[in-house]
């Protein structure tokens, strides 16, 4: 297929029908569960999964769970509730901040920030970001903490030790959320859903045994742009459809390209599609208004993320084979 900005367009009713039929078979026949639990974040991916699940299983077989914490945007829970109400699904809200506090999430994270900014106080708004324009430089990724002080944002370079401690601490959030999802899945004899789109699944933008854990991942084949369009077709509320993706992990709003992706999803979707289909950087650049060198930088970043996050997809390593279970597959 010739590369163009239209390559991600699909027959959305046909795609909705195909995915909902596949999800119904996966949950009821392969997993032999009664329904599906969806952690509704107020973002597009979980909204699309919830709407798809309702189409596949009916509202009585879908359970929504909202899992805010201290740094979550209030808008996320508001939109999540509105979606659940529109879909007609039972839902509940658990504030996971007390669990995170007890596990040391906030204290360990704050200590790491304070190691590079000694005046940091827990009530200050903050986030972590990578260095700026990555389309036009081959420089190594360097991470900074951005802290709002007296209404002004100040930027401090993180040491490697401080960065990994912040990531390790904040990963608690996704793991506690998944623990709560599986509590309700076990209670209801439902399956637990994963909500990554293709960008997140391919590029390892998830936490192992956190949001990466699931019994079924219904939209892992859909590019982010496609997720928005399928969600619109399925009737997801405008407040979510019109919201830009955010990690909703830090008290200052953080876009996904601030922290992880090389460019905005609207560009990355097309460049990833092109790479997956053998399109040259020259052909991509002609269509997208980028230079071949810029496209190659994104290609290289895709490869680098695939290499460094491959372990996230891997099963636990066994030192000796357990041959009786090797052929086991859910059928």
């Amino acid at each position: 297929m010739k590369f163009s900005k239209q390559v991600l367009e699909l027959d959305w009713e046909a795609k909705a029908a195909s995915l909902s039929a596949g999800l119904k078979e996966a949950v009821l026949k392969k997993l032999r569960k009664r329904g599906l639990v969806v952690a509704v974040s107020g973002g597009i991916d979980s909204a699309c999964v919830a709407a798809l699940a309702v189409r596949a299983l009916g509202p009585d077989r879908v359970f929504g769970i909202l899992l805010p914490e201290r740094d979550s945007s209030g808008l996320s829970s508001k939109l999540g509730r509105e979606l659940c109400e529109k879909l007609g699904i039972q839902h509940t809200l658990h504030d996971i901040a007390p669990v995170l506090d007890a596990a040391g999430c906030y204290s360990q994270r704050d200590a790491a920030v304070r190691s590079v900014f000694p005046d940091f106080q827990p009530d200050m708004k903050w986030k972590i970001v990578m260095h700026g324009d990555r389309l036009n430089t081959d420089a190594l990724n360097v991470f900074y903490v951005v802290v709002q002080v007296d209404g002004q944002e100040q930027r401090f370079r993180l040491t490697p030790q401080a960065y990994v401690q912040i990531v390790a601490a904040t990963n608690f959030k996704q793991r506690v959320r998944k623990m709560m999802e599986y509590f309700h899945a076990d209670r209801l004899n439902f399956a637990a859903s994963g909500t990554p789109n293709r960008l997140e699944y391919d590029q390892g933008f998830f936490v192992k045994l956190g949001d990466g854990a699931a019994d079924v991942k219904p939209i892992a084949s859909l590019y982010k742009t496609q997720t928005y369009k399928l969600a619109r077709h399925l009737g997801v509320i405008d407040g979510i459809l019109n919201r830009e993706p955010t990690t909703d992990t830090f008290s200052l709003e953080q876009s996904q390209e601030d922290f992880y992706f090389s460019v905005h999803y609207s560009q990355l979707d097309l460049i990833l599609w092109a790479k997956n289909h053998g399109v040259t950087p020259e052909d991509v650049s002609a269509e997208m208004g980028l230079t071949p060198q810029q496209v190659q930088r994104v290609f290289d970043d895709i490869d680098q993320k695939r290499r460094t996050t491959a372990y996230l997809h891997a099963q636990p390593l066994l030192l000796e084979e357990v041959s009786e279970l090797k052929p086991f597959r859910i059928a």
Side-chain angles (χ1 to χ4, degrees), residues 58-79:
D60 293 342
R61 292 180 179 268
V62 182
F63 185 81
I65 178 170
L66 288 74
L67 297 162
E69 49 87 25
R70 190 178 296 172
D71 297 318
S72 301
S73 165
L75 180 61
S76 297
S77 293
K78 177 179 179 292
L79 292 174

Side-chain angles (χ1 to χ4, degrees), residues 220-279:
S221 63
L222 295 182
Y223 294 87
K224 187 81 169 186
T225 306
Q226 293 175 326
T227 302
Y228 271 99
K229 293 190 175 183
L230 181 62
R232 183 177 296 279
H233 180 79
L234 291 168
V236 166
I237 61 175
D238 287 343
I240 291 176
L241 291 170
N242 297 330
R243 192 183 191 194
E244 275 289 301
T246 174
T247 62
D248 205 20
T249 299
F250 300 93
S251 51
L252 275 179
E253 187 168 301
Q254 179 198 56
S255 71
Q256 293 182 334
E257 59 268 26
D258 273 346
F259 173 63
Y260 197 76
F261 292 125
S262 52
V263 291
H264 189 266
Y265 76 85
S266 59
Q267 291 180 303
L268 185 54
D269 272 350
L270 290 166
I271 297 173
L272 179 60
W273 187 97
K275 182 173 178 57
N276 289 343
H277 291 82
V279 181

Side-chain angles (χ1 to χ4, degrees), residues 105-122 124-128 144-148 154 156-159 161-163 165-167 169-170 250:
C105 168
Y106 301 120
S107 61
Q108 294 287 347
R109 183 198 65 182
D110 292 352
V113 176
R114 207 170 285 116
S115 72
V116 297
F117 175 43
D119 293 332
F120 178 75
Q121 298 298 321
M124 292 177 174
K125 292 185 178 297
W126 69 287
K127 64 180 177 180
I128 58 176
Y144 296 83
V145 61
V146 176
V147 183
Q148 193 174 74
Q154 298 184 27
F156 306 91
R157 182 168 172 172
L158 287 167
T159 63
Q161 295 81 5
Y163 168 73
Q165 184 162 321
I166 290 170
V167 171
T170 54
F250 300 93

Side-chain angles (χ1 to χ4, degrees), residues 96 99-100 172-181:
I96 63 170
V99 179
L100 295 174
F172 275 132
K173 297 182 180 185
Q174 300 301 339
R175 292 188 173 118
V176 169
R177 287 187 173 113
K178 190 57 66 171
M179 178 180 68
M180 296 303 299
E181 283 180 57

